[in-house]
Amino acid sequence: MNLIKRKIVVKKVENTSIERHPVYILGTDYKVKIVYKNVKVPELDLENKTIKISLPNKFKKTENTKVLDFAIEKLYEQIAKVEIERAMEKMRIALGFAPEDYKIKNMKNELGRCENNRIIINPKIVMYHRNIIDFIVLHEYCHLKYKTHCKGFYKMLGEYEPNYEKYEEILKTALFEY
């Protein structure tokens, strides 16, 4: 193949892109754009409410939803490390105590859990606004003191978040699947 034809083919391959459904980050929806180009490893950039995922050309034949789901999952995990640490520190200062440990872990059908004095948070909570993230972390902190949803639990929850019923309703009717 001569050099001019090769340049044209490479340019066409680099400009191939696929647009996907929105992805939520901190309550804001982002469009996802997958671009195939001559790179060795996948790259991810946030630009003007668009998540641009640049994939090596070799992924063209791979099912896009699997690659996209994997990339978004990794993005959520990276954001979760920062956001959950922020929320945990905020609650530690407000309540004056902390769990023995916390873990960020993908869970099916749960955004948070408290077991054995350890808080476990689903990284997909970063789909929600920060106030919802703070509420979920507060909810789990309250479970450090009260294992069930008893009167004392709700009293403590209401003391630190007077709008907790509003947040519970938002989470019950959430459009996000986790």
Side-chain angles (χ1 to χ4, degrees), residues 3-75:
L3 188 59
I4 295 172
K5 282 186 178 178
R6 187 171 183 275
K7 284 183 180 178
I8 292 170
V9 171
V10 169
K11 197 166 209 104
K12 284 183 181 178
V13 168
E14 287 179 350
N15 292 329
T16 303
S17 68
I18 297 169
E19 302 237 359
R20 294 276 300 160
H21 59 84
V23 170
Y24 293 89
I25 301 173
L26 301 177
T28 302
D29 63 327
Y30 287 78
K31 289 191 319 184
V32 176
K33 184 176 184 180
I34 301 173
V35 178
Y36 296 97
K37 59 187 202 180
N38 195 18
V39 293
K40 293 192 186 282
V41 294
E43 299 170 354
L44 198 138
D45 294 309
L46 294 175
E47 305 171 346
N48 301 325
K49 293 193 179 181
T50 300
I51 301 169
K52 180 181 171 191
I53 302 173
S54 300
L55 297 174
N57 290 324
K58 67 182 180 182
F59 284 105
K60 268 188 168 181
K61 294 179 182 173
T62 307
E63 188 179 329
N64 289 323
T65 56
K66 288 181 182 179
V67 174
L68 174 62
D69 291 345
F70 180 77
I72 298 303
E73 189 174 303
K74 293 299 176 193
L75 175 64

Coordinates of all heavy atoms in Angstrom, one line a residue, residues 3-75:
L3 N 2.0 5.2 0.6 CA 2.0 6.0 1.7 C 0.7 6.9 1.8 O 0.2 7.0 2.9 CB 3.3 6.9 1.8 CG 3.5 7.7 3.0 CD1 3.6 6.8 4.2 CD2 4.7 8.5 2.9
I4 N 0.3 7.4 0.7 CA -0.9 8.3 0.7 C -2.2 7.5 1.1 O -2.9 7.9 2.0 CB -1.1 8.9 -0.6 CG1 0.1 9.9 -0.9 CG2 -2.4 9.7 -0.7 CD1 0.1 10.5 -2.3
K5 N -2.3 6.3 0.5 CA -3.5 5.4 0.9 C -3.4 5.0 2.4 O -4.4 5.0 3.0 CB -3.5 4.2 0.0 CG -4.1 4.4 -1.4 CD -4.2 3.1 -2.1 CE -4.8 3.4 -3.5 NZ -4.9 2.1 -4.3
R6 N -2.2 4.7 2.8 CA -2.1 4.3 4.2 C -2.5 5.4 5.2 O -3.2 5.2 6.2 CB -0.7 3.9 4.5 CG -0.5 3.3 5.9 CD 1.0 2.7 6.0 NE 1.1 2.1 7.3 CZ 1.4 2.7 8.4 NH1 1.7 4.0 8.4 NH2 1.6 2.1 9.5
K7 N -2.1 6.6 4.9 CA -2.5 7.8 5.7 C -4.0 8.0 5.7 O -4.6 8.3 6.8 CB -1.8 9.1 5.2 CG -0.3 9.1 5.6 CD 0.3 10.5 5.1 CE 1.7 10.5 5.5 NZ 2.4 11.8 5.1
I8 N -4.6 7.8 4.6 CA -6.1 8.0 4.5 C -6.8 6.9 5.4 O -7.7 7.2 6.1 CB -6.6 7.9 3.1 CG1 -6.1 9.2 2.3 CG2 -8.1 7.8 3.0 CD1 -6.3 9.1 0.8
V9 N -6.3 5.6 5.3 CA -6.9 4.5 6.0 C -6.7 4.8 7.5 O -7.6 4.6 8.3 CB -6.3 3.2 5.6 CG1 -6.7 2.1 6.6 CG2 -6.7 2.8 4.2
V10 N -5.5 5.2 8.0 CA -5.2 5.4 9.4 C -6.1 6.6 9.9 O -6.7 6.5 10.9 CB -3.7 5.8 9.6 CG1 -3.5 6.3 11.0 CG2 -2.9 4.6 9.4
K11 N -6.3 7.6 9.1 CA -7.1 8.8 9.5 C -8.6 8.3 9.7 O -9.2 8.7 10.6 CB -7.0 9.9 8.4 CG -7.5 11.2 8.9 CD -7.1 12.3 8.0 CE -6.9 13.5 8.7 NZ -5.6 14.0 9.0
K12 N -9.1 7.5 8.8 CA -10.5 7.0 8.9 C -10.6 6.1 10.2 O -11.6 6.2 10.9 CB -10.8 6.1 7.7 CG -11.2 6.9 6.5 CD -11.6 6.0 5.3 CE -11.9 6.9 4.1 NZ -12.3 6.0 3.0
V13 N -9.6 5.3 10.5 CA -9.7 4.4 11.6 C -9.7 5.3 12.9 O -10.4 5.1 13.8 CB -8.5 3.4 11.6 CG1 -8.4 2.7 13.0 CG2 -8.7 2.4 10.5
E14 N -8.8 6.3 12.9 CA -8.7 7.2 14.1 C -10.0 8.0 14.4 O -10.3 8.3 15.5 CB -7.5 8.1 14.0 CG -6.2 7.4 14.1 CD -5.0 8.4 13.9 OE1 -5.2 9.5 13.5 OE2 -3.9 8.0 14.2
N15 N -10.7 8.3 13.3 CA -11.9 9.1 13.5 C -13.2 8.2 13.7 O -14.3 8.8 13.8 CB -12.1 10.0 12.3 CG -11.0 11.1 12.2 OD1 -10.5 11.5 13.3 ND2 -10.7 11.5 11.0
T16 N -13.1 6.9 13.7 CA -14.3 6.1 14.0 C -14.7 6.3 15.4 O -13.9 6.2 16.3 CB -13.9 4.6 13.7 OG1 -13.5 4.5 12.4 CG2 -15.2 3.7 13.9
S17 N -16.0 6.6 15.6 CA -16.4 6.8 17.0 C -17.9 6.3 17.2 O -18.6 6.1 16.2 CB -16.4 8.2 17.4 OG -17.3 9.0 16.7
I18 N -18.2 6.0 18.4 CA -19.5 5.5 18.7 C -20.0 6.3 19.9 O -19.3 6.5 20.9 CB -19.5 4.0 19.1 CG1 -19.0 3.2 17.9 CG2 -20.8 3.5 19.6 CD1 -18.7 1.8 18.3
E19 N -21.3 6.8 19.9 CA -21.8 7.6 21.0 C -22.8 6.6 21.7 O -23.5 5.8 21.2 CB -22.6 8.8 20.5 CG -21.7 9.7 19.7 CD -21.7 11.1 20.2 OE1 -22.3 11.4 21.2 OE2 -21.0 11.9 19.6
R20 N -22.8 6.7 23.1 CA -23.6 5.8 23.9 C -24.5 6.7 24.9 O -24.4 7.9 24.9 CB -22.6 5.0 24.8 CG -21.8 4.0 24.0 CD -22.5 2.7 23.7 NE -22.9 2.1 25.0 CZ -23.8 1.2 25.2 NH1 -24.5 0.8 24.2 NH2 -24.1 0.7 26.3
H21 N -25.3 5.9 25.6 CA -26.2 6.5 26.6 C -25.5 7.4 27.6 O -24.3 7.2 27.8 CB -27.0 5.4 27.3 CG -26.1 4.4 28.0 ND1 -25.7 4.7 29.2 CD2 -25.6 3.2 27.6 CE1 -24.9 3.6 29.6 NE2 -24.9 2.8 28.6
P22 N -26.2 8.2 28.3 CA -25.5 9.0 29.3 C -25.0 8.2 30.5 O -25.6 7.2 30.8 CB -26.5 10.1 29.8 CG -27.8 9.5 29.3 CD -27.6 8.6 28.2
V23 N -24.0 8.7 31.2 CA -23.4 8.1 32.4 C -23.5 9.2 33.4 O -23.2 10.3 33.1 CB -22.0 7.6 32.1 CG1 -21.3 7.2 33.4 CG2 -22.0 6.4 31.1
Y24 N -23.9 8.8 34.6 CA -24.0 9.9 35.7 C -22.8 9.9 36.6 O -22.3 8.9 37.0 CB -25.3 9.6 36.5 CG -26.5 9.8 35.7 CD1 -27.1 8.7 35.0 CD2 -27.1 11.0 35.6 CE1 -28.2 8.9 34.2 CE2 -28.2 11.2 34.9 CZ -28.8 10.2 34.2 OH -29.9 10.4 33.4
I25 N -22.3 11.1 36.8 CA -21.2 11.3 37.7 C -21.5 12.5 38.6 O -21.8 13.6 38.1 CB -19.8 11.6 37.0 CG1 -19.5 10.5 36.0 CG2 -18.7 11.9 38.0 CD1 -18.3 10.7 35.1
L26 N -21.6 12.3 39.9 CA -22.0 13.3 40.9 C -23.3 14.0 40.5 O -23.5 15.2 40.6 CB -20.9 14.3 41.1 CG -19.6 13.6 41.6 CD1 -18.5 14.7 41.8 CD2 -19.8 12.9 42.9
G27 N -24.3 13.2 39.9 CA -25.6 13.7 39.6 C -25.7 14.4 38.3 O -26.8 14.8 37.9
T28 N -24.6 14.5 37.6 CA -24.6 15.1 36.2 C -24.5 14.0 35.2 O -23.7 13.1 35.3 CB -23.4 16.1 36.1 OG1 -23.5 17.1 37.1 CG2 -23.4 16.8 34.8
D29 N -25.3 14.2 34.1 CA -25.2 13.1 33.1 C -24.2 13.6 32.0 O -24.1 14.7 31.6 CB -26.6 12.9 32.4 CG -27.2 14.0 31.7 OD1 -27.0 15.2 32.2 OD2 -27.9 13.8 30.7
Y30 N -23.4 12.6 31.7 CA -22.3 12.7 30.7 C -22.6 11.8 29.5 O -23.0 10.7 29.7 CB -21.0 12.4 31.2 CG -20.4 13.3 32.2 CD1 -20.8 13.4 33.5 CD2 -19.4 14.2 31.8 CE1 -20.3 14.3 34.4 CE2 -18.8 15.1 32.7 CZ -19.3 15.2 34.0 OH -18.8 16.1 34.9
K31 N -22.5 12.3 28.3 CA -22.5 11.5 27.1 C -21.2 10.7 27.1 O -20.2 11.2 27.5 CB -22.7 12.3 25.8 CG -24.1 12.9 25.7 CD -24.3 13.5 24.3 CE -23.2 14.2 23.7 NZ -23.4 14.9 22.5
V32 N -21.3 9.5 26.4 CA -20.1 8.7 26.3 C -19.8 8.6 24.8 O -20.6 8.3 24.0 CB -20.3 7.3 26.9 CG1 -19.0 6.5 26.6 CG2 -20.6 7.4 28.4
K33 N -18.5 8.9 24.5 CA -18.1 8.8 23.1 C -16.9 7.8 23.1 O -15.9 8.1 23.8 CB -17.7 10.1 22.6 CG -17.3 10.2 21.1 CD -17.1 11.6 20.6 CE -16.8 11.6 19.2 NZ -16.5 12.9 18.7
I34 N -17.0 6.8 22.3 CA -15.9 5.8 22.2 C -15.2 6.1 20.8 O -15.9 6.2 19.8 CB -16.4 4.4 22.2 CG1 -17.1 4.1 23.5 CG2 -15.3 3.4 21.9 CD1 -17.8 2.7 23.5
V35 N -13.9 6.3 20.9 CA -13.2 6.6 19.7 C -12.1 5.5 19.6 O -11.4 5.2 20.5 CB -12.5 8.0 19.8 CG1 -11.6 8.3 18.6 CG2 -13.5 9.1 20.0
Y36 N -11.9 5.0 18.4 CA -10.9 4.0 18.1 C -9.8 4.7 17.4 O -10.0 5.4 16.4 CB -11.4 2.8 17.2 CG -12.5 2.1 17.9 CD1 -13.8 2.4 17.7 CD2 -12.2 1.1 18.8 CE1 -14.8 1.7 18.3 CE2 -13.2 0.4 19.5 CZ -14.5 0.7 19.2 OH -15.5 0.0 19.9
K37 N -8.6 4.5 17.9 CA -7.4 5.2 17.3 C -6.2 4.4 17.6 O -6.2 3.4 18.3 CB -7.3 6.6 17.7 CG -7.1 6.9 19.1 CD -7.2 8.5 19.3 CE -6.6 8.9 20.5 NZ -6.6 10.4 20.7
N38 N -5.1 4.8 17.0 CA -3.8 4.1 17.1 C -3.1 4.4 18.4 O -2.2 5.2 18.5 CB -3.0 4.5 15.9 CG -1.8 3.5 15.7 OD1 -1.8 2.5 16.3 ND2 -0.8 4.0 15.0
V39 N -3.7 3.8 19.5 CA -3.1 4.0 20.9 C -2.8 2.6 21.4 O -3.4 1.6 21.0 CB -4.0 4.8 21.8 CG1 -4.1 6.2 21.4 CG2 -5.3 4.1 22.0
K40 N -1.9 2.5 22.3 CA -1.5 1.1 22.9 C -2.4 0.7 24.0 O -2.8 -0.4 24.2 CB -0.1 1.1 23.3 CG 0.9 1.2 22.2 CD 2.3 0.9 22.7 CE 3.3 1.2 21.6 NZ 3.5 0.2 20.6
V41 N -2.8 1.7 24.8 CA -3.7 1.4 26.0 C -4.9 2.4 26.0 O -4.8 3.5 25.4 CB -3.0 1.6 27.3 CG1 -1.9 0.5 27.5 CG2 -2.4 2.9 27.5
P42 N -6.0 1.9 26.5 CA -7.2 2.8 26.5 C -6.9 4.1 27.3 O -6.2 4.1 28.3 CB -8.3 2.0 27.3 CG -7.8 0.6 27.1 CD -6.3 0.6 27.1
E43 N -7.6 5.2 26.9 CA -7.5 6.5 27.5 C -8.9 7.0 27.8 O -9.8 6.7 27.0 CB -6.7 7.5 26.6 CG -5.3 7.1 26.2 CD -4.7 7.9 25.1 OE1 -5.4 8.8 24.6 OE2 -3.5 7.7 24.9
L44 N -9.0 7.8 28.8 CA -10.3 8.3 29.2 C -10.2 9.8 29.5 O -9.3 10.1 30.3 CB -10.8 7.5 30.4 CG -12.3 7.6 30.7 CD1 -12.8 6.3 31.1 CD2 -12.5 8.6 31.8
D45 N -11.0 10.6 28.9 CA -11.0 12.0 29.2 C -12.4 12.6 29.4 O -13.3 12.1 28.8 CB -10.4 12.8 28.0 CG -8.9 12.5 27.7 OD1 -8.2 12.6 28.7 OD2 -8.6 12.2 26.6
L46 N -12.5 13.5 30.3 CA -13.8 14.2 30.5 C -13.7 15.6 29.8 O -12.8 16.4 30.1 CB -14.1 14.4 32.0 CG -14.3 13.2 32.8 CD1 -14.5 13.6 34.3 CD2 -15.5 12.4 32.4
E47 N -14.6 15.8 28.9 CA -14.6 17.1 28.1 C -16.1 17.5 28.0 O -16.9 16.9 27.3 CB -14.0 16.9 26.7 CG -12.7 16.3 26.7 CD -12.3 15.9 25.2 OE1 -13.1 15.9 24.3 OE2 -11.1 15.7 25.0
N48 N -16.4 18.7 28.5 CA -17.7 19.3 28.3 C -18.9 18.3 28.4 O -19.6 18.1 27.5 CB -17.8 20.0 26.9 CG -16.7 21.1 26.8 OD1 -16.4 21.7 27.8 ND2 -16.1 21.2 25.6
K49 N -19.0 17.7 29.5 CA -20.1 16.7 29.8 C -20.1 15.6 28.8 O -21.1 15.0 28.5 CB -21.4 17.4 29.8 CG -21.6 18.4 31.0 CD -23.0 18.8 31.2 CE -23.1 19.7 32.3 NZ -24.5 20.2 32.6
T50 N -18.9 15.2 28.4 CA -18.7 14.0 27.5 C -17.5 13.3 28.0 O -16.5 13.8 28.3 CB -18.4 14.4 26.0 OG1 -19.6 15.2 25.5 CG2 -18.2 13.2 25.2
I51 N -17.7 12.0 28.2 CA -16.6 11.1 28.5 C -16.1 10.5 27.2 O -16.8 9.8 26.5 CB -17.1 9.9 29.5 CG1 -17.7 10.5 30.8 CG2 -15.9 9.0 29.8 CD1 -18.4 9.5 31.6
K52 N -14.9 10.8 26.9 CA -14.3 10.3 25.7 C -13.4 9.2 26.0 O -12.4 9.3 26.8 CB -13.5 11.4 25.0 CG -12.9 11.0 23.7 CD -12.1 12.2 23.1 CE -11.3 11.7 21.9 NZ -10.4 12.8 21.5
I53 N -13.7 8.0 25.5 CA -12.9 6.8 25.7 C -12.2 6.5 24.4 O -12.8 6.2 23.4 CB -13.8 5.6 26.2 CG1 -14.5 6.0 27.4 CG2 -12.9 4.4 26.4 CD1 -15.5 5.0 27.9
S54 N -10.9 6.6 24.4 CA -10.1 6.3 23.2 C -9.6 4.8 23.4 O -8.9 4.5 24.4 CB -8.9 7.2 23.1 OG -9.3 8.5 23.0
L55 N -9.9 4.0 22.5 CA -9.5 2.6 22.6 C -8.6 2.2 21.4 O -8.7 2.8 20.3 CB -10.8 1.7 22.5 CG -11.8 1.8 23.6 CD1 -13.0 1.0 23.3 CD2 -11.2 1.4 24.9
P56 N -7.7 1.3 21.7 CA -6.8 0.8 20.6 C -7.7 0.2 19.5 O -8.8 -0.4 19.8 CB -6.0 -0.3 21.2 CG -6.0 0.0 22.7 CD -7.4 0.6 23.0
N57 N -7.3 0.3 18.3 CA -8.0 -0.3 17.1 C -8.3 -1.7 17.3 O -9.4 -2.2 16.8 CB -7.2 0.0 15.8 CG -7.2 1.4 15.5 OD1 -8.1 2.1 15.7 ND2 -6.1 1.9 14.9
K58 N -7.5 -2.5 18.0 CA -7.7 -3.9 18.2 C -9.0 -4.2 18.9 O -9.6 -5.3 18.8 CB -6.6 -4.6 18.9 CG -6.4 -4.2 20.3 CD -5.2 -4.8 21.0 CE -5.0 -4.4 22.4 NZ -3.8 -5.0 23.0
F59 N -9.6 -3.2 19.6 CA -10.9 -3.4 20.3 C -12.1 -3.3 19.4 O -13.2 -3.5 19.9 CB -11.0 -2.5 21.5 CG -10.2 -2.9 22.7 CD1 -9.0 -2.2 23.0 CD2 -10.5 -3.9 23.5 CE1 -8.2 -2.6 24.1 CE2 -9.8 -4.3 24.6 CZ -8.6 -3.6 24.9
K60 N -11.9 -2.9 18.2 CA -13.0 -2.6 17.3 C -14.0 -3.9 17.2 O -15.2 -3.7 17.1 CB -12.6 -2.3 15.9 CG -12.4 -0.8 15.7 CD -12.1 -0.6 14.3 CE -12.3 0.9 14.0 NZ -12.1 1.2 12.6
K61 N -13.4 -5.0 17.2 CA -14.2 -6.2 17.0 C -14.8 -6.7 18.4 O -15.6 -7.6 18.4 CB -13.3 -7.3 16.4 CG -13.0 -7.0 15.0 CD -12.1 -8.0 14.3 CE -11.7 -7.5 12.9 NZ -10.8 -8.4 12.3
T62 N -14.4 -6.2 19.5 CA -14.9 -6.5 20.8 C -16.2 -5.9 21.0 O -16.5 -4.8 20.5 CB -13.9 -6.0 21.9 OG1 -12.6 -6.5 21.6 CG2 -14.4 -6.5 23.3
E63 N -17.1 -6.6 21.7 CA -18.4 -6.0 22.0 C -18.3 -4.7 22.8 O -17.7 -4.7 23.9 CB -19.3 -7.0 22.8 CG -20.7 -6.6 22.9 CD -21.5 -7.6 23.7 OE1 -21.2 -8.8 23.6 OE2 -22.4 -7.1 24.4
N64 N -18.7 -3.6 22.2 CA -18.5 -2.3 22.8 C -19.1 -2.1 24.2 O -18.6 -1.5 25.0 CB -19.1 -1.2 21.9 CG -18.3 -1.0 20.7 OD1 -17.1 -1.1 20.7 ND2 -19.0 -0.8 19.6
T65 N -20.2 -2.8 24.5 CA -20.9 -2.6 25.8 C -20.0 -3.2 26.9 O -19.9 -2.6 28.0 CB -22.3 -3.3 25.9 OG1 -22.1 -4.6 25.5 CG2 -23.2 -2.6 24.9
K66 N -19.3 -4.3 26.7 CA -18.4 -4.8 27.7 C -17.2 -3.9 27.9 O -16.8 -3.7 29.1 CB -17.9 -6.2 27.2 CG -18.9 -7.3 27.3 CD -18.4 -8.6 26.9 CE -19.4 -9.7 26.9 NZ -18.9 -11.0 26.5
V67 N -16.6 -3.4 26.9 CA -15.5 -2.4 27.0 C -16.0 -1.2 27.7 O -15.3 -0.7 28.7 CB -14.9 -2.1 25.7 CG1 -13.8 -1.1 25.8 CG2 -14.3 -3.4 25.0
L68 N -17.1 -0.7 27.3 CA -17.7 0.6 27.9 C -18.0 0.3 29.4 O -17.6 1.1 30.2 CB -18.9 1.0 27.2 CG -19.7 2.2 27.8 CD1 -18.8 3.4 27.8 CD2 -21.0 2.4 27.1
D69 N -18.7 -0.8 29.7 CA -19.0 -1.1 31.1 C -17.7 -1.2 32.0 O -17.7 -0.6 33.1 CB -19.8 -2.3 31.2 CG -21.2 -2.2 30.7 OD1 -21.6 -1.1 30.5 OD2 -21.8 -3.2 30.4
F70 N -16.7 -1.8 31.5 CA -15.4 -1.9 32.2 C -14.8 -0.6 32.4 O -14.4 -0.2 33.5 CB -14.5 -2.9 31.4 CG -13.2 -3.0 32.1 CD1 -13.0 -3.9 33.2 CD2 -12.0 -2.4 31.7 CE1 -11.8 -4.0 33.9 CE2 -10.8 -2.5 32.3 CZ -10.7 -3.3 33.4
A71 N -14.8 0.3 31.4 CA -14.2 1.6 31.5 C -14.9 2.5 32.5 O -14.3 3.2 33.3 CB -14.1 2.3 30.1
I72 N -16.2 2.5 32.4 CA -17.1 3.3 33.3 C -16.9 2.8 34.8 O -16.8 3.5 35.7 CB -18.5 3.3 32.9 CG1 -18.7 3.9 31.5 CG2 -19.4 4.0 33.9 CD1 -18.1 5.3 31.4
E73 N -16.8 1.4 34.9 CA -16.6 0.9 36.3 C -15.3 1.4 36.9 O -15.3 1.7 38.1 CB -16.7 -0.7 36.2 CG -16.7 -1.4 37.5 CD -16.8 -2.9 37.3 OE1 -17.8 -3.3 36.7 OE2 -15.9 -3.6 37.8
K74 N -14.3 1.4 36.1 CA -13.0 1.9 36.6 C -13.0 3.4 36.9 O -12.4 3.8 37.8 CB -11.9 1.6 35.5 CG -11.6 0.1 35.4 CD -11.1 -0.5 36.7 CE -10.9 -2.0 36.6 NZ -10.7 -2.6 37.9
L75 N -13.7 4.1 36.0 CA -13.9 5.5 36.3 C -14.6 5.8 37.6 O -14.2 6.6 38.5 CB -14.7 6.2 35.2 CG -15.0 7.7 35.4 CD1 -13.8 8.5 35.4 CD2 -16.0 8.1 34.2

